[in-house]
Amino acid sequence: MKLLLTGTNSEFFATVERLGLSFTQVKTLGVLREAEAPLTVKALSDLLGLSLPAVSRAVETLVRRGEVRREEDLKDRRCKNVDLTAKGRRTFDQLAARRMAGIKNFVEGMDPSEREALAAALRPIVERTHS
């Protein structure tokens, strides 16, 4: 995995830089992309393992960029719920596509027997995650 990720990092990091995003913002978009419902800034902070001020700054910038929306919680007006906008979803999907393209290039560079061995090794992991 280390070889795979370090071999594809330059293209991924170039995309992050071109989009003008910080890594905290990228991680925030990723967590929101996987969330089934809007999250509070506090929940985001807990999930990211980052301080509340750091996540608040990331969210503020993403709100200004139109990547996320932040709204008062109807049940507790002290809390703010955060959710991806369509633009934020597209941005994260673009980053994920860049990462996947790097992985695809890596795998395509393998000889057929290496690809078969990799597929066999990954099969139980994939099956477990889809159970």
Side-chain angles (χ1 to χ4, degrees), residues 22-93:
S22 72
F23 285 109
T24 299
Q25 292 164 347
V26 170
K27 292 189 319 186
T28 299
L29 291 173
V31 167
L32 290 172
R33 182 70 171 101
E34 296 300 317
E36 296 178 11
L39 297 172
T40 64
V41 175
K42 172 72 171 107
L44 266 173
S45 173
D46 292 343
L47 288 167
L48 292 168
L50 298 170
S51 71
L52 190 56
V55 173
S56 292
R57 284 189 300 273
V59 166
E60 177 60 29
T61 300
L62 291 169
V63 166
R64 281 190 264 117
R65 291 171 51 110
E67 309 277 354
V68 302
R69 72 181 132 263
R70 180 181 48 211
E71 298 173 342
E72 279 186 359
D73 187 305
L74 297 177
K75 296 176 187 167
D76 185 350
R77 295 179 59 162
R78 294 171 298 171
C79 294
K80 305 291 185 223
N81 291 321
V82 181
D83 197 13
L84 281 181
T85 62
K87 180 181 179 184
R89 187 168 274 102
R90 285 190 307 271
T91 297
F92 186 78
D93 290 348

